[in-house]
PDB file of all heavy atoms in Angstrom:
ATOM      1  N   SER A1232     -18.707  -6.813  -1.188  1.00 87.00           N
ATOM      2  CA  SER A1232     -17.414  -6.105  -0.986  1.00 87.00           C
ATOM      3  C   SER A1232     -16.684  -6.616   0.202  1.00 87.00           C
ATOM      4  O   SER A1232     -17.355  -7.257   1.189  1.00 87.00           O
ATOM      5  CB  SER A1232     -17.763  -4.542  -0.783  1.00 87.00           C
ATOM      6  OG  SER A1232     -16.538  -3.865  -0.376  1.00 87.00           O
ATOM      7  N   ALA A1233     -15.429  -6.574   0.238  1.00 87.00           N
ATOM      8  CA  ALA A1233     -14.676  -6.916   1.417  1.00 87.00           C
ATOM      9  C   ALA A1233     -14.797  -5.917   2.611  1.00 87.00           C
ATOM     10  O   ALA A1233     -14.403  -6.285   3.741  1.00 87.00           O
ATOM     11  CB  ALA A1233     -13.158  -7.051   0.994  1.00 87.00           C
ATOM     12  N   GLY A1234     -15.293  -4.798   2.361  1.00 87.00           N
ATOM     13  CA  GLY A1234     -15.540  -3.911   3.511  1.00 87.00           C
ATOM     14  C   GLY A1234     -14.625  -2.764   3.437  1.00 87.00           C
ATOM     15  O   GLY A1234     -13.451  -2.768   2.906  1.00 87.00           O
ATOM     16  N   LEU A1235     -14.922  -1.646   4.138  1.00 90.00           N
ATOM     17  CA  LEU A1235     -14.202  -0.479   4.184  1.00 90.00           C
ATOM     18  C   LEU A1235     -12.922  -0.585   5.038  1.00 90.00           C
ATOM     19  O   LEU A1235     -11.827  -0.057   4.688  1.00 90.00           O
ATOM     20  CB  LEU A1235     -15.056   0.676   4.816  1.00 90.00           C
ATOM     21  CG  LEU A1235     -14.410   2.044   4.846  1.00 90.00           C
ATOM     22  CD1 LEU A1235     -14.024   2.556   3.498  1.00 90.00           C
ATOM     23  CD2 LEU A1235     -15.315   3.048   5.463  1.00 90.00           C
ATOM     24  N   VAL A1236     -13.013  -1.413   6.113  1.00 89.00           N
ATOM     25  CA  VAL A1236     -11.847  -1.542   6.959  1.00 89.00           C
ATOM     26  C   VAL A1236     -10.765  -2.268   6.229  1.00 89.00           C
ATOM     27  O   VAL A1236      -9.588  -1.870   6.276  1.00 89.00           O
ATOM     28  CB  VAL A1236     -12.231  -2.460   8.265  1.00 89.00           C
ATOM     29  CG1 VAL A1236     -11.003  -2.792   9.090  1.00 89.00           C
ATOM     30  CG2 VAL A1236     -13.240  -1.657   9.092  1.00 89.00           C
ATOM     31  N   ALA A1237     -11.131  -3.403   5.546  1.00 89.00           N
ATOM     32  CA  ALA A1237     -10.111  -4.085   4.672  1.00 89.00           C
ATOM     33  C   ALA A1237      -9.548  -3.148   3.611  1.00 89.00           C
ATOM     34  O   ALA A1237      -8.397  -3.277   3.319  1.00 89.00           O
ATOM     35  CB  ALA A1237     -10.762  -5.319   4.063  1.00 89.00           C
ATOM     36  N   GLY A1238     -10.505  -2.247   3.027  1.00 91.00           N
ATOM     37  CA  GLY A1238      -9.982  -1.433   2.021  1.00 91.00           C
ATOM     38  C   GLY A1238      -9.008  -0.350   2.571  1.00 91.00           C
ATOM     39  O   GLY A1238      -7.997  -0.116   1.840  1.00 91.00           O
ATOM     40  N   ILE A1239      -9.248   0.160   3.700  1.00 93.00           N
ATOM     41  CA  ILE A1239      -8.192   1.043   4.233  1.00 93.00           C
ATOM     42  C   ILE A1239      -6.919   0.327   4.578  1.00 93.00           C
ATOM     43  O   ILE A1239      -5.789   0.922   4.337  1.00 93.00           O
ATOM     44  CB  ILE A1239      -8.858   1.731   5.525  1.00 93.00           C
ATOM     45  CG1 ILE A1239     -10.022   2.526   5.169  1.00 93.00           C
ATOM     46  CG2 ILE A1239      -7.724   2.578   6.245  1.00 93.00           C
ATOM     47  CD1 ILE A1239     -10.783   3.124   6.314  1.00 93.00           C
ATOM     48  N   ALA A1240      -7.065  -0.858   5.149  1.00 92.00           N
ATOM     49  CA  ALA A1240      -5.809  -1.657   5.526  1.00 92.00           C
ATOM     50  C   ALA A1240      -4.913  -1.906   4.294  1.00 92.00           C
ATOM     51  O   ALA A1240      -3.782  -1.638   4.360  1.00 92.00           O
ATOM     52  CB  ALA A1240      -6.155  -2.832   6.203  1.00 92.00           C
ATOM     53  N   PHE A1241      -5.540  -2.412   3.214  1.00 92.00           N
ATOM     54  CA  PHE A1241      -4.820  -2.659   2.021  1.00 92.00           C
ATOM     55  C   PHE A1241      -4.301  -1.446   1.315  1.00 92.00           C
ATOM     56  O   PHE A1241      -3.245  -1.453   0.686  1.00 92.00           O
ATOM     57  CB  PHE A1241      -5.653  -3.552   1.166  1.00 92.00           C
ATOM     58  CG  PHE A1241      -5.650  -5.010   1.409  1.00 92.00           C
ATOM     59  CD1 PHE A1241      -6.937  -5.687   1.762  1.00 92.00           C
ATOM     60  CD2 PHE A1241      -4.471  -5.770   1.639  1.00 92.00           C
ATOM     61  CE1 PHE A1241      -7.036  -6.971   2.060  1.00 92.00           C
ATOM     62  CE2 PHE A1241      -4.642  -7.082   2.046  1.00 92.00           C
ATOM     63  CZ  PHE A1241      -5.877  -7.620   2.193  1.00 92.00           C
ATOM     64  N   THR A1242      -5.129  -0.327   1.396  1.00 94.00           N
ATOM     65  CA  THR A1242      -4.595   0.875   0.935  1.00 94.00           C
ATOM     66  C   THR A1242      -3.285   1.315   1.594  1.00 94.00           C
ATOM     67  O   THR A1242      -2.415   1.746   0.840  1.00 94.00           O
ATOM     68  CB  THR A1242      -5.723   1.991   1.067  1.00 94.00           C
ATOM     69  OG1 THR A1242      -6.900   1.664   0.289  1.00 94.00           O
ATOM     70  CG2 THR A1242      -5.162   3.342   0.503  1.00 94.00           C
ATOM     71  N   VAL A1243      -3.300   1.260   2.907  1.00 94.00           N
ATOM     72  CA  VAL A1243      -2.014   1.685   3.601  1.00 94.00           C
ATOM     73  C   VAL A1243      -0.940   0.756   3.178  1.00 94.00           C
ATOM     74  O   VAL A1243       0.269   1.144   2.940  1.00 94.00           O
ATOM     75  CB  VAL A1243      -2.280   1.600   5.085  1.00 94.00           C
ATOM     76  CG1 VAL A1243      -0.989   1.939   5.843  1.00 94.00           C
ATOM     77  CG2 VAL A1243      -3.292   2.700   5.491  1.00 94.00           C
ATOM     78  N   ILE A1244      -1.135  -0.653   3.137  1.00 93.00           N
ATOM     79  CA  ILE A1244      -0.151  -1.517   2.799  1.00 93.00           C
ATOM     80  C   ILE A1244       0.405  -1.248   1.475  1.00 93.00           C
ATOM     81  O   ILE A1244       1.793  -1.177   1.298  1.00 93.00           O
ATOM     82  CB  ILE A1244      -0.669  -2.925   2.873  1.00 93.00           C
ATOM     83  CG1 ILE A1244      -0.996  -3.258   4.293  1.00 93.00           C
ATOM     84  CG2 ILE A1244       0.378  -3.956   2.310  1.00 93.00           C
ATOM     85  CD1 ILE A1244      -1.845  -4.665   4.496  1.00 93.00           C
ATOM     86  N   TRP A1245      -0.407  -1.110   0.461  1.00 93.00           N
ATOM     87  CA  TRP A1245       0.146  -0.899  -0.883  1.00 93.00           C
ATOM     88  C   TRP A1245       0.649   0.516  -1.083  1.00 93.00           C
ATOM     89  O   TRP A1245       1.584   0.783  -1.980  1.00 93.00           O
ATOM     90  CB  TRP A1245      -0.932  -1.214  -1.894  1.00 93.00           C
ATOM     91  CG  TRP A1245      -1.038  -2.715  -2.126  1.00 93.00           C
ATOM     92  CD1 TRP A1245      -1.899  -3.550  -1.659  1.00 93.00           C
ATOM     93  CD2 TRP A1245      -0.174  -3.414  -2.980  1.00 93.00           C
ATOM     94  NE1 TRP A1245      -1.763  -4.844  -1.991  1.00 93.00           N
ATOM     95  CE2 TRP A1245      -0.515  -4.860  -2.819  1.00 93.00           C
ATOM     96  CE3 TRP A1245       0.997  -3.211  -3.691  1.00 93.00           C
ATOM     97  CZ2 TRP A1245       0.120  -5.870  -3.525  1.00 93.00           C
ATOM     98  CZ3 TRP A1245       1.633  -4.264  -4.337  1.00 93.00           C
ATOM     99  CH2 TRP A1245       1.176  -5.517  -4.237  1.00 93.00           C
ATOM    100  N   PHE A1246       0.210   1.500  -0.412  1.00 94.00           N
ATOM    101  CA  PHE A1246       0.833   2.824  -0.428  1.00 94.00           C
ATOM    102  C   PHE A1246       2.239   2.792  -0.023  1.00 94.00           C
ATOM    103  O   PHE A1246       3.114   3.389  -0.679  1.00 94.00           O
ATOM    104  CB  PHE A1246       0.041   3.902   0.409  1.00 94.00           C
ATOM    105  CG  PHE A1246       0.587   5.196   0.549  1.00 94.00           C
ATOM    106  CD1 PHE A1246       0.186   6.201  -0.455  1.00 94.00           C
ATOM    107  CD2 PHE A1246       1.457   5.570   1.601  1.00 94.00           C
ATOM    108  CE1 PHE A1246       0.724   7.403  -0.333  1.00 94.00           C
ATOM    109  CE2 PHE A1246       1.982   6.839   1.654  1.00 94.00           C
ATOM    110  CZ  PHE A1246       1.565   7.782   0.645  1.00 94.00           C
ATOM    111  N   VAL A1247       2.477   2.180   1.200  1.00 92.00           N
ATOM    112  CA  VAL A1247       3.908   2.011   1.631  1.00 92.00           C
ATOM    113  C   VAL A1247       4.713   1.208   0.697  1.00 92.00           C
ATOM    114  O   VAL A1247       5.877   1.615   0.395  1.00 92.00           O
ATOM    115  CB  VAL A1247       3.830   1.323   3.081  1.00 92.00           C
ATOM    116  CG1 VAL A1247       5.279   1.085   3.518  1.00 92.00           C
ATOM    117  CG2 VAL A1247       3.174   2.350   4.031  1.00 92.00           C
ATOM    118  N   THR A1248       4.217   0.105   0.182  1.00 91.00           N
ATOM    119  CA  THR A1248       4.880  -0.798  -0.810  1.00 91.00           C
ATOM    120  C   THR A1248       5.262   0.005  -2.153  1.00 91.00           C
ATOM    121  O   THR A1248       6.434  -0.030  -2.453  1.00 91.00           O
ATOM    122  CB  THR A1248       4.052  -2.008  -1.180  1.00 91.00           C
ATOM    123  OG1 THR A1248       3.826  -2.745   0.104  1.00 91.00           O
ATOM    124  CG2 THR A1248       4.839  -2.903  -2.121  1.00 91.00           C
ATOM    125  N   GLY A1249       4.301   0.721  -2.619  1.00 91.00           N
ATOM    126  CA  GLY A1249       4.537   1.461  -3.814  1.00 91.00           C
ATOM    127  C   GLY A1249       5.550   2.566  -3.621  1.00 91.00           C
ATOM    128  O   GLY A1249       6.395   2.769  -4.481  1.00 91.00           O
ATOM    129  N   GLY A1250       5.438   3.238  -2.538  1.00 90.00           N
ATOM    130  CA  GLY A1250       6.421   4.311  -2.196  1.00 90.00           C
ATOM    131  C   GLY A1250       7.844   3.717  -2.033  1.00 90.00           C
ATOM    132  O   GLY A1250       8.742   4.335  -2.520  1.00 90.00           O
ATOM    133  N   LEU A1251       7.993   2.615  -1.325  1.00 88.00           N
ATOM    134  CA  LEU A1251       9.249   2.044  -1.109  1.00 88.00           C
ATOM    135  C   LEU A1251       9.909   1.622  -2.456  1.00 88.00           C
ATOM    136  O   LEU A1251      11.122   1.867  -2.711  1.00 88.00           O
ATOM    137  CB  LEU A1251       9.275   0.946  -0.105  1.00 88.00           C
ATOM    138  CG  LEU A1251       8.969   1.301   1.349  1.00 88.00           C
ATOM    139  CD1 LEU A1251       8.812   0.125   2.186  1.00 88.00           C
ATOM    140  CD2 LEU A1251      10.127   2.235   1.861  1.00 88.00           C
ATOM    141  N   VAL A1252       9.132   0.950  -3.304  1.00 88.00           N
ATOM    142  CA  VAL A1252       9.640   0.502  -4.551  1.00 88.00           C
ATOM    143  C   VAL A1252      10.061   1.606  -5.324  1.00 88.00           C
ATOM    144  O   VAL A1252      11.073   1.640  -6.116  1.00 88.00           O
ATOM    145  CB  VAL A1252       8.597  -0.428  -5.199  1.00 88.00           C
ATOM    146  CG1 VAL A1252       9.018  -0.711  -6.574  1.00 88.00           C
ATOM    147  CG2 VAL A1252       8.384  -1.711  -4.441  1.00 88.00           C
ATOM    148  N   ALA A1253       9.221   2.622  -5.421  1.00 88.00           N
ATOM    149  CA  ALA A1253       9.411   3.815  -6.370  1.00 88.00           C
ATOM    150  C   ALA A1253      10.657   4.564  -5.943  1.00 88.00           C
ATOM    151  O   ALA A1253      11.472   5.063  -6.754  1.00 88.00           O
ATOM    152  CB  ALA A1253       8.212   4.742  -6.461  1.00 88.00           C
ATOM    153  N   SER A1254      10.864   4.713  -4.600  1.00 86.00           N
ATOM    154  CA  SER A1254      12.003   5.557  -4.058  1.00 86.00           C
ATOM    155  C   SER A1254      13.258   4.780  -3.974  1.00 86.00           C
ATOM    156  O   SER A1254      14.315   5.260  -4.330  1.00 86.00           O
ATOM    157  CB  SER A1254      11.630   6.192  -2.737  1.00 86.00           C
ATOM    158  OG  SER A1254      11.393   5.061  -1.808  1.00 86.00           O
ATOM    159  N   GLN A1255      13.253   3.559  -3.569  1.00 82.00           N
ATOM    160  CA  GLN A1255      14.495   2.792  -3.342  1.00 82.00           C
ATOM    161  C   GLN A1255      14.909   1.922  -4.523  1.00 82.00           C
ATOM    162  O   GLN A1255      16.039   1.824  -4.687  1.00 82.00           O
ATOM    163  CB  GLN A1255      14.265   1.891  -2.065  1.00 82.00           C
ATOM    164  CG  GLN A1255      13.872   2.654  -0.762  1.00 82.00           C
ATOM    165  CD  GLN A1255      14.970   3.640  -0.386  1.00 82.00           C
ATOM    166  OE1 GLN A1255      16.117   3.389  -0.366  1.00 82.00           O
ATOM    167  NE2 GLN A1255      14.449   4.835  -0.040  1.00 82.00           N
ATOM    168  N   THR A1256      13.961   1.433  -5.235  1.00 83.00           N
ATOM    169  CA  THR A1256      14.298   0.589  -6.412  1.00 83.00           C
ATOM    170  C   THR A1256      14.402   1.396  -7.700  1.00 83.00           C
ATOM    171  O   THR A1256      15.397   1.296  -8.364  1.00 83.00           O
ATOM    172  CB  THR A1256      13.352  -0.538  -6.527  1.00 83.00           C
ATOM    173  OG1 THR A1256      13.187  -1.249  -5.341  1.00 83.00           O
ATOM    174  CG2 THR A1256      13.674  -1.441  -7.696  1.00 83.00           C
ATOM    175  N   LEU A1257      13.397   2.233  -7.958  1.00 83.00           N
ATOM    176  CA  LEU A1257      13.356   3.033  -9.177  1.00 83.00           C
ATOM    177  C   LEU A1257      14.073   4.329  -9.023  1.00 83.00           C
ATOM    178  O   LEU A1257      14.367   5.026 -10.030  1.00 83.00           O
ATOM    179  CB  LEU A1257      11.939   3.263  -9.594  1.00 83.00           C
ATOM    180  CG  LEU A1257      11.029   1.979  -9.839  1.00 83.00           C
ATOM    181  CD1 LEU A1257       9.653   2.425 -10.177  1.00 83.00           C
ATOM    182  CD2 LEU A1257      11.689   1.109 -10.877  1.00 83.00           C
TER     183      LEU A1257
END
């Protein structure tokens, strides 16, 4: 596994990305 720290970091990154795309683009 890439590790829990990497998992939390990418979760935050993609949470923000998904929220911005859903709210501003869609």
Side-chain angles (χ1 to χ4, degrees):
S1232 172
L1235 184 60
V1236 175
I1239 294 175
F1241 282 123
T1242 299
V1243 174
I1244 292 171
W1245 280 101
F1246 176 87
V1247 174
T1248 302
L1251 289 175
V1252 172
S1254 61
Q1255 302 301 316
T1256 304
L1257 302 180

